[in-house]
Amino acid sequence: MSAPLTATSRQASAPVLTEARPASFPRWAGVVVFSPLGARYLGLDDEGFDWFLHGTGVPFGVAGALTFLFALLSLGRWGSRVMLSQKHPYEPWLWDHSWRRELHDQRFTQLLVSWPVSLVLLAILAVVHWLFYSRVFSQGQVLPGAILGIVLLGFDVIIFTRVLGPTVLGTLALLRFGRMRLHLPGVPLELGSRCQVHLEAQPSLARLSNVKVELRCIKEWAETTGSGDDRLTQSVTRIEHSHAYTVDAEALREGKALALPLELPEGRPEHSTALHASRSCHWELKLSSEVPGANLDITFVLPVYYTVGGYPARAS
């Protein structure tokens, strides 16, 4: 049985019972930023860089400059969060993530990643199909060609159903519903409390009858079993809490914000949001509805923490 929980001050030295930690050092950004120093150490001078840029062309130079700038921004954000974690060690909602009272759904960000991936896969498929038809059938190898064709068809079905299909449907849903916003009463949301969040959509959803709301707490961690050659590491996902209900979407049909009541359950400090931890924990609000043409299906990650008097609780 765990020890009883009490509120403590900032100056106390007992460890906080939450696994929230600052994000780990972005190694890729460090490699990108410090690679010019390494190149100079190895003897690649400015003339060498000029030769490299001239040989690779302007597009690669621009891409490299943008990558370097993005790496600098990533290192700056990481350093800022580390300093905030040292200044406010018992307020992880200030540095675990850039929480705001207005949350945006992540469909647009996901599509920015999924569309390039889909296009690259389509290009690879096109090349593979061209090679297949030009080499196999041109040589009159009907039976081997038919077998390979069935295999390629299986790959086509997997890519279209797992990658391209969800990307197209997500794009249609984004065009139809717009990018939704969720307004919070404050940050953080406290375990064991009741509050209302407000969903806003533009344009108004005239054909939306109701919305299914599901609040879930999910824990994820890596679990290793065995040893030596039999050592196996697998990802484990466990739903700690789940509660679903349905609300009438009349407000959204009228172009207004839809009030969603949230009843956060009682919990322990280890149920606080911890996005960067050995056992990560996050709370998500999943909103779904069946609409002719494109179904509504969006998820918001919520800043939910166990707090007492404004500070996370700790073991006495």
Side-chain angles (χ1 to χ4, degrees):
M1 180 178 296
S2 59
L5 300 174
T6 59
T8 56
S9 64
R10 293 171 181 255
Q11 289 76 18
S13 58
V16 177
L17 287 183
T18 174
E19 294 197 0
R21 299 290 185 270
S24 58
F25 179 78
R27 296 180 180 178
W28 72 269
V31 170
V32 170
V33 171
F34 294 107
S35 58
L37 297 177
R40 184 175 295 277
Y41 177 77
L42 294 175
L44 185 60
D45 55 9
D46 294 337
E47 293 181 0
F49 279 112
D50 293 338
W51 174 85
F52 175 78
L53 292 176
H54 179 74
T56 56
V58 175
F60 286 94
V62 173
L66 292 176
T67 302
F68 187 82
L69 179 60
F70 186 68
L72 282 177
L73 293 176
S74 298
L75 288 177
R77 183 169 59 248
W78 173 80
S80 175
R81 290 181 178 176
V82 169
M83 289 188 293
L84 280 174
S85 67
Q86 295 174 351
K87 185 177 181 181
H88 305 280
Y90 306 139
E91 300 168 275
W93 52 86
L94 296 179
W95 42 263
D96 190 31
H97 184 72
S98 300
W99 297 111
R100 298 289 186 270
R101 292 187 60 178
E102 181 181 273
L103 305 179
H104 295 266
D105 71 80
Q106 299 301 310
R107 289 177 301 172
F108 181 74
T109 304
Q110 294 169 355
L111 290 174
L112 287 178
V113 176
S114 59
W115 265 116
V117 172
S118 300
L119 293 177
V120 169
L121 289 177
L122 285 177
I124 294 175
L125 279 180
V127 172
V128 170
H129 279 276
W130 179 79
L131 292 174
F132 171 72
Y133 289 115
S134 62
R135 298 291 178 86
V136 177
F137 284 106
S138 64
Q139 298 176 4
Q141 301 176 359
V142 179
L143 182 58
I147 296 175
L148 290 176
I150 294 175
V151 174
L152 282 178
L153 181 61
F155 280 106
D156 293 341
V157 171
I158 293 174
I159 291 176
F160 275 90
T161 56
R162 298 291 182 87
V163 180
L164 188 60
T167 301
V168 173
L169 292 177
T171 303
L172 293 176
L174 181 63
L175 294 175
R176 179 166 188 178
F177 301 121
R179 197 175 186 188
M180 293 190 170
R181 297 185 295 273
L182 190 71
H183 298 271
L184 306 180
V187 176
L189 302 178
E190 298 183 18
L191 283 168
S193 66
R194 296 181 180 181
C195 62
Q196 273 192 348
V197 296
H198 293 82
L199 179 67
E200 183 178 343
Q202 293 179 349
S204 61
L205 306 180
R207 304 181 65 182
L208 190 65
S209 58
N210 54 58
V211 176
K212 180 182 177 182
V213 183
E214 185 177 5
L215 176 66
R216 301 197 303 175
C217 175
I218 300 176
K219 278 203 167 189
E220 297 176 327
W221 67 92
E223 193 171 87
T224 302
T225 57
S227 60
D229 295 337
D230 297 329
R231 185 183 181 90
L232 176 63
T233 301
Q234 58 184 356
S235 178
V236 179
T237 301
R238 184 173 68 194
I239 299 178
E240 297 281 317
H241 172 80
S242 179
H243 174 63
Y245 59 95
T246 302
V247 297
D248 186 6
E250 180 181 0
L252 292 179
R253 294 194 297 269
E254 296 176 354
K256 303 177 182 178
L258 176 64
L260 303 174
L262 285 187
E263 185 173 348
L264 297 168
E266 297 286 346
R268 299 185 298 274
E270 52 266 34
H271 293 137
S272 293
T273 298
L275 301 181
H276 308 285
S278 57
R279 289 199 173 198
S280 65
C281 178
H282 70 274
W283 289 77
E284 63 180 27
L285 188 67
K286 182 179 176 64
L287 308 175
S288 58
S289 180
E290 294 185 0
V291 183
N295 293 336
L296 175 67
D297 187 6
I298 58 176
T299 301
F300 295 95
V301 178
L302 303 178
V304 179
Y305 294 87
Y306 188 108
T307 63
V308 176
Y311 300 100
R314 305 187 293 170
S316 60

